[in-house]
Amino acid sequence: MQDITVLRQALPYIKRFRGRTFVVKFGGEAIEDPHLLEELIDDLSLLYLVGIRVVLVHGGGKQATDLAEKLGVENEFVGGRRVTNEGTLEVMKMVLNGKLGTDILSLLRKKDIKAISLSGVAAGVINASRRPPKQVSGSDREVDFGHVGDIESVNTTPIEMLLDQGYIPVVSPMGSDEEGNVLNINADVAASRLASALKAEKLLLLTGAPGVMEDMKDRTTLISHLSEEQARGAIASGIIGGGMIPKVEESLHALRNGVGSVHVLSAVEPHQLLLEVFTESGCGTMIELK
Amino acid sequence: MQDITVLRQALPYIKRFRGRTFVVKFGGEAIEDPHLLEELIDDLSLLYLVGIRVVLVHGGGKQATDLAEKLGVENEFVGGRRVTNEGTLEVMKMVLNGKLGTDILSLLRKKDIKAISLSGVAAGVINASRRPPKQVSGSDREVDFGHVGDIESVNTTPIEMLLDQGYIPVVSPMGSDEEGNVLNINADVAASRLASALKAEKLLLLTGAPGVMEDMKDRTTLISHLSEEQARGAIASGIIGGGMIPKVEESLHALRNGVGSVHVLSAVEPHQLLLEVFTESGCGTMIELK
Amino acid sequence: MQDITVLRQALPYIKRFRGRTFVVKFGGEAIEDPHLLEELIDDLSLLYLVGIRVVLVHGGGKQATDLAEKLGVENEFVGGRRVTNEGTLEVMKMVLNGKLGTDILSLLRKKDIKAISLSGVAAGVINASRRPPKQVSGSDREVDFGHVGDIESVNTTPIEMLLDQGYIPVVSPMGSDEEGNVLNINADVAASRLASALKAEKLLLLTGAPGVMEDMKDRTTLISHLSEEQARGAIASGIIGGGMIPKVEESLHALRNGVGSVHVLSAVEPHQLLLEVFTESGCGTMIELK
Amino acid sequence: MQDITVLRQALPYIKRFRGRTFVVKFGGEAIEDPHLLEELIDDLSLLYLVGIRVVLVHGGGKQATDLAEKLGVENEFVGGRRVTNEGTLEVMKMVLNGKLGTDILSLLRKKDIKAISLSGVAAGVINASRRPPKQVSGSDREVDFGHVGDIESVNTTPIEMLLDQGYIPVVSPMGSDEEGNVLNINADVAASRLASALKAEKLLLLTGAPGVMEDMKDRTTLISHLSEEQARGAIASGIIGGGMIPKVEESLHALRNGVGSVHVLSAVEPHQLLLEVFTESGCGTMIELK
Amino acid sequence: MQDITVLRQALPYIKRFRGRTFVVKFGGEAIEDPHLLEELIDDLSLLYLVGIRVVLVHGGGKQATDLAEKLGVENEFVGGRRVTNEGTLEVMKMVLNGKLGTDILSLLRKKDIKAISLSGVAAGVINASRRPPKQVSGSDREVDFGHVGDIESVNTTPIEMLLDQGYIPVVSPMGSDEEGNVLNINADVAASRLASALKAEKLLLLTGAPGVMEDMKDRTTLISHLSEEQARGAIASGIIGGGMIPKVEESLHALRNGVGSVHVLSAVEPHQLLLEVFTESGCGTMIELK
Amino acid sequence: MQDITVLRQALPYIKRFRGRTFVVKFGGEAIEDPHLLEELIDDLSLLYLVGIRVVLVHGGGKQATDLAEKLGVENEFVGGRRVTNEGTLEVMKMVLNGKLGTDILSLLRKKDIKAISLSGVAAGVINASRRPPKQVSGSDREVDFGHVGDIESVNTTPIEMLLDQGYIPVVSPMGSDEEGNVLNINADVAASRLASALKAEKLLLLTGAPGVMEDMKDRTTLISHLSEEQARGAIASGIIGGGMIPKVEESLHALRNGVGSVHVLSAVEPHQLLLEVFTESGCGTMIELK
C-alpha cells in the first residue's frame, strides 16, 4: 500500500516530461556488464512508457579495443586519443553498428519495446567532415587522427519520424561526409549534437563516475549543480580535469543550443535515471546555463 | 540522339512498376568486389528514382566465414549447412548488421539516396523461433544448428513506414524470438518472406550464376522462364539441383503467398537488374506460378 | 531508493494498459468528502498520465436528494427506486450537470489535466427512451417512474474525439430521446453501456463497499474474483443481494458486450484504483466472463 | 413562388459568411420564455446549417436570482452589481452549467443539431483571476465582489476542436484560476473575449432592447450604426447610459481585438438574428471601428 | 419580415441535403437563352452554398447542329437519332467542351463560385466503347452511329476530388475508349451514370417540359410522382412516349443503382430547382423505386 | 546492353528534377502534325513518369485562324497582332478549350496518363483585365484589341491540387476578369506567368525554330546559352528580332520571378525535350539570369 504512493509522487514529473525528448548516452561501462545493461534498458523502458521520447546513443570504445586486439589491428593512441586507422574503422563498424546495436535491440525486444538501431551514417543523420591533422599536446608534430569526423550538421528527420511513430532510436556514433566516407565520431559529441538538434529537454550522460566530483575518488565531493559560470570556474581552477573537461564543454555547448539541462550520472549504480527523472532531489550532477 | 530513345523504351516499365515494391537480395558475390557493389547500388538507385519501392536484403556468409577464421571462431558445417554456434552468432552480428550494412549505406549516401539499414531484430521485423535439432542427410544423428531461426512471422510496419517516407530499407537477415534471443536467418528465406509479407511485385535474387541453368557450367542452358509445374519437374528430374533447390522452393513459396514474380539473376554481370526490369526480353530466369 | 523500484514494478501494467480505455464510475460516497474526491482525481490523473484513456462517469443521487429537500421538491421512491418527477428532473440537471461536473473539472484544472464535462444529452451521447410504467415488486399497480430513460444506443463519436485529443470526458448520467426530452439514467447503467460502446479494457465501479462480499459487514468475506457462472450462482443462492444485484447484472452485460473486465472497488479507501491497476494482486472484486 | 426568391436574396450573405465564426450571446430574457428560446435556437440552427461556425454564450442572472431566493441564499448587490458569495457561486454552477446548458442542448437535440455545452471551467477555456476588492461608486468602501473573475486569457483550442468537428459549443460564463477555483464571469465580457480570441466575424449581443437607443423607451430613436468615435461621443454625452455602457465598452474592446462587427439586437422580437445576417438592411445596432 | 421566415422553412431541407451529391443535367433549352442560363446558375449556386455537392452535366445538341450547318458538316440522323460522323465529332468537341463549358464557367466566375469544366475524356472519367452497328426501327439495315459511345464505367475519383475541394464539376458528355478514341455520349445517360457512380441523393433532369405529362400539351396532366411500377405501366400503355421514354428508362436505371430520387423539371420556368429542393410540395415529376 | 546504360546516365537528372515543376508550352507547329504531337506527348509522359510535375500550356493560333475563315469570322490583325473580336473569341473558346484540349487529353488517355484540361477561366486560374486601347507601331490611331486580356494574377490552387493528385494539367490560354468576361491571352505569357506563380524549375518553350539563332535561317548560329545581360544586348543590337523579342522578354520576366531557367527548343525536331532534360549537353537555347 505504501509503495503505491510512490507512483503518485512521480505524477508531476510524468506530467512535466511526457511528450518531451530525452537523449541518453552511455558507454562501455554500462555495456560491459549484461546485468547492468538490462537494468538500464528497464529504466529507459519506463521513461518511454510514460510518454517520454527517448533517444539512445551508445559508445563502445572498450569493446572496440578488445576486438582490435583479437584481430591484430593496431590500437593507436596519441595524447590519450584514439587514432582511427583503416583497421579501427572496420572494427568500429562491427562493434558499434553490429554487435552493440543488435544486443541493445535484443534487450528491448525482450521488453516488447519498439526500437530501431541506426548509425549516424543512415539517411545522413550525422553529416561530418574528416578532421584535419592538427597539433596536439603530447606530440611535437601534426597528428592525423585518421577516419575521425567533426560534426557539420545533424539531420533529425529520420529520428523524428521514428519518435513520432513510437520507436526508440538507438544511435551509434558514426557519421559520413558528402562522399559517403564513414567517419568515427566521439559518442559524447554525437549525443550532445543530437540533443541540440532535437531541442531535447534533457541530455543524460551516464558515466563511470557518479557525476562531476571535486575529488574523483571521494563520492562526498559530488557537485550536484553547476551553472555555466561555475563550470567554467571549475575548469579554470582545475577542479574539473581530465576526461571530464570535454564532457562538460560539450554539455555547455548543448545548453547554449537549446537543450534544457544536462545530467552527468552513474552508469553503474542502480536506477540513477529514475531517481534523476522522477524525484525532487535527483542525483548526479545537473548542469544548466544559470 | 539515338541513345535518348532508350529512355522512351523504358516508359511502359516505369509506368507499370512505379509505386510497386521490389525486394532485391544479393549475397557475398556482389559484396566482395567493391566495384560490383557500387554498380549494383547504382542500378538500385535508378529503380528507386523512377518510383519503385526498393527493399534490399543482403547476405554475407563468405565475409562471416573470413572473420570467424581471423577470430579463431570455429566455422562448423553439417551436411553443407552452417551451424551457428555462440561465436558465429557474434560474428554474424558484426559482419551483417555492422560492416555490410554500414558499407551499403555509405554507398547510398554517396549517391544521395535516403536509406536506413536494420536487421530483422529491429522492431520485431523478423519473428523467428530457434530451429529444433533435426535429422539431416549426411549425418546419422540429430543436428542442433544452434542459433538459427525459422521465421514465424514478419512485421512489415517499420518497413512500410520507411518506404512510405522515401527510404530504402537495407535489411540483414537476422531475427529474434519473443524472448529477444537473436537468431541467424537464411538470407534467401528472409528475402522471400519479406517479399510475401509486403506483397511485392517482384523478388529479385542475385546469385553467382546467370540464372537457373540445366548445366551450371554452360550458359547456353539458361532457363529463361519456369512455371511452378516446370520447376517441380526440373527438381524431380535432377535438372535443378544443389543449392538451387532451396532457392527455387523459396521462390515458389513466395509466389504462392502474393509475390508477382521471382527472378534469379547474375550478381556479377553488369546491369542485370536494369535489363530485367526495363526491357522486353529481360534476363536471367523468371519464375511464375503459371 | 527502494521507493523508486515501485515505478519499475508498474512497468508491465503501464505497457499493457496505455492506449486502452478505462471507464471509471463513482457516486455520492466519493463526492461527499472533498478530500476523498481530490484523492480520487489524483489517482485518475496518474492513469491518464501514463497514457490510459480515462472516461469518468459520476452519479450524485445523495446530493440530488439533499437539494430536492431544500427546494421542497418531493423525493418520491417506489420499491426503493427514485421516481423522477418534473421537479426531480430539474434538480438532477442542476446537481449532476451543474454542480458536480463543475466541481470535478475544478479539481482536474488544479492538476492541470485537460477535461470536459458533458451529460449524455450533449451531442446525443446517450439516446434513451422513457421507461414505460411497469409492475414492480412492493407495489400492486404499474408504476410510472417519470422522466427516467432506458438507453437505446450510445453515440461514442464525441467521446472518442475528446479522448483522441487528450481530454478526460466527465460524463453525467442523463440522456435524451429523439424529441430532445431529457431523461434521468442510472449511473451504473450509463457507465456500463459507455464501456461496452467504447470496447473498454476495464470498467471500474467505485462503491461504498470494498467489493462484492458474502457478508456485507465482514470484510474478510470479500470475493476477489467472479466468473459469470459464479456470479449467477451467487445471485441465485442469495450471497449477492440487494443493490449489488443490478450492479453485477450490468457488469455481466458489459462483459458480454466487449468490456475486458469489471472491477468493484471501494471508493472510500485510499488508492484502490492504483492498487487494482498497477499491482499483481489487485484489490476489490474482479468480474470476468470466465 | 415569390417566397422562394428570398432564398436567392440570402445567397450573397451565405457566400460571405460560411466558414466564418459568429459568437451569439443571450441572457435571461431569451431563456425565460420557452417559445422565444426555441425560436432563437431555430434561427441559430439556420446559421449553423448554412456553414457558419456558431458559438453560443448564455447568461442566466435572473434564473440564478430566483434559485438563490428559493434556497435562502442571499442575493447581494453593491451599486447594482452582484456579489458572488459562496452560496451564489453554487447557485451559478447549478443554473448556468446545469439547468440552462442542459435545456439548450435539449432543444438543439430536438433539431438534430450536434452541440456540446461547457462552462469556461472546462479545459481551461476561460482563465481568470479573482477580482480584487475595489472602490465602486455607490459605496464608500472597497467592495469584495467575491468569487468573481476577470478574464486573463482564453484557451480557444477546445472551442476550435468542437467547431472543426461540426459541433455548436454552448458556453456558460464561468472560469477558473490556476488553482482551479471557480469564478463567476460577466456573460457579455465572456462572449466578447471569446469572440476576440476566435477572431470572430460577428459578435451578436441579444438584449431586452431592440438595440442602442437614444431614448430607451422610444423605438424610433434606435441608432442603427455606431462607429467607435460615435459610441464614445454618445457615452460622453449621456445618450448611452446605464447597463448599455459596459456592453458598448466591451463591444469596442472586441472590435479593437479582431472582431469584424458587433451587433446589439432584440432577443424578444422574432427573427432578429436572421434579419441581421441575411438582409441588406439588417436590424438593431451595428458597431464598427469606423 | 415575413420573407425571412422562408429561410426557416428551408431549414429541414438544408439539413437533409447538405453534404449530399446532386447531379443536375440541362440541355439546349436552358443554354439557348442567356438570361435563363444565368438564372439557373444562380439557383445552382444556392444549392452549392448551403453545402450540397453539385455536379453539372450539360448537353448542347441544338448548338452543335447549328455549328455543323455553318461549317457545312452533314447533320445525319437515322430514326431520329444523330449519327456522329467525323465532322460531327469535331463539332461536338468544340461546342460542348469549348464554347458551352467556357460560357458556364464564365457565369460561375461572375458569381465567384469555384468550378472546373471537364469532358468525360479527362482523366478517364467516362470510359466508353464504340457502339456497334445495329438494327433500328425506321431503317431496314444495320446503322453505324459513328463515334458514339456506350458507357462501360465511370471513374469518379477526379469528380470526388473536385467536390471534396469545393469545386463544382461541369461535365460535358463525351467519353473515350481505352485507345483514347473520343466518343459522343448521350447527355441524359452521362448524367444518370455519373449519378449512379457517385451514389447521388438526387438526379435532376431539366427539360423543355415541366415534367412527365399525360398530354405533353396540357400542363394540368403533369404526373407529380412515379414509382418504377407506375413508370413501366405508363410506358406500356403509351402515356409516356417519344423522347421521354429513354429519359424515364435511364431514371429507373439510376434508381436501381443507388440514386435516391430522380426529378424531371422544367428548364425554362423560373426557380424550379429551388422549389423542388426547398419546399414540401416540390415541382415537376419525382421518380422513385416505390 | 549498351542501351541500358543510357538509363544510368539519366539518373542524376531524374534525381535532380523529380518533385520539381516544369511548365511546357507549345503552339500550332506541334499540334498541326498528329505524329509530332504524339511524339511530344510521349516525351512529356516520360517526364511525368520519373516524377516531374508537368504543366502543359498550348496555343492554337493557326487552328483558330482556319476555323474563323471557315465560319466567315473576320481575322483581324493590326501591326501583326490579332484583334479578338466577338467572333474570334467564340472561335478561340471552341478551338483552344474544345478541340485542342480534348485532342491532347485523348492522346494522354491512350498512354494511360492522368490528365485534366482546363482553360484559365476555370476556377479563376488566370485573372485578367481587358487590355485598354493603345497606340501601336504600324497604326496612327489607338487600337482596341478587343477581348484580349493582360494577366493580373494567377490562382495556382487548382493547378497545385491537380499536380499533388498526380494529374497533368493541360491549360489553354484564356482568362477572365472579375465579372467573368472571357479574355484571350497570349500563350507564351500565360505559360510564363503560370511558371512564375508555380515557382517552376524550368519553363520550356517549344517553337518552330531550334532555339534563339543569330540568323534564323542558319542552324549553326544557334545560341546555346543566354544570360539576362546577353539577351538584352542581343535585342539592342538586333540579333534577336521579330517574334522572338516578346518571347525573350517574357522569359526574363519569368526568371526574375522565381523560375529556374527558360529553354527555347524546337517543337518539330524529335526528342528535344528529353535531350534538354536528361543530357549534359542539352539542346536549344537556355536562358538564365546569369
Side-chain angles (χ1 to χ4, degrees), chain A residues 1-12 14-15 18 38-39 42-43 45-46 48-51 110-113 270-272 274-275 278-279, chain C residues 1-12 14-15 18 38-39 42-43 45-46 48-51 110-113 270-272 274-275 278-279:
Chain A
M1 172 70 89
Q2 135 204 28
D3 280 358
I4 209 74
T5 61
V6 174
L7 285 173
R8 291 272 293 274
Q9 290 162 20
L11 207 146
I14 296 176
K15 188 156 60 185
R18 66 187 196 132
E38 187 159 356
E39 285 277 305
D42 254 30
D43 288 356
S45 298
L46 186 61
Y48 167 84
L49 284 170
V50 300
K110 187 175 169 187
K111 307 286 169 200
D112 207 17
I113 305 285
H271 308 315
Q272 300 295 295
L274 299 190
L275 283 173
F278 291 119
T279 65
Chain C
M1 174 70 89
Q2 133 205 28
D3 280 358
I4 210 73
T5 60
V6 174
L7 284 172
R8 290 271 294 275
Q9 291 162 16
L11 207 147
I14 296 176
K15 189 156 58 184
R18 65 187 198 130
E38 187 158 358
E39 284 278 303
D42 253 30
D43 289 356
S45 299
L46 186 61
Y48 167 84
L49 283 169
V50 300
K110 186 174 170 188
K111 307 288 169 199
D112 207 17
I113 305 284
H271 309 315
Q272 300 295 297
L274 299 189
L275 283 173
F278 292 119
T279 65

Side-chain angles (χ1 to χ4, degrees), chain B residues 103-131:
Chain B
D103 287 350
I104 291 167
L105 288 190
S106 161
L107 283 167
L108 284 162
R109 173 90 176 84
K110 187 175 168 188
K111 307 289 168 197
D112 207 17
I113 305 285
K114 290 157 60 179
I116 283 180
S117 71
L118 69 172
S119 77
V121 178
V125 165
I126 296 180
N127 297 296
S129 58
R130 186 165 167 160
R131 183 175 300 166

Side-chain angles (χ1 to χ4, degrees), chain A residues 152-169:
Chain A
E152 298 287 338
S153 65
V154 171
N155 172 20
T156 59
T157 308
I159 305 293
E160 299 273 14
M161 171 186 72
L162 293 174
L163 291 170
D164 289 348
Q165 297 296 318
Y167 296 88
I168 295 185

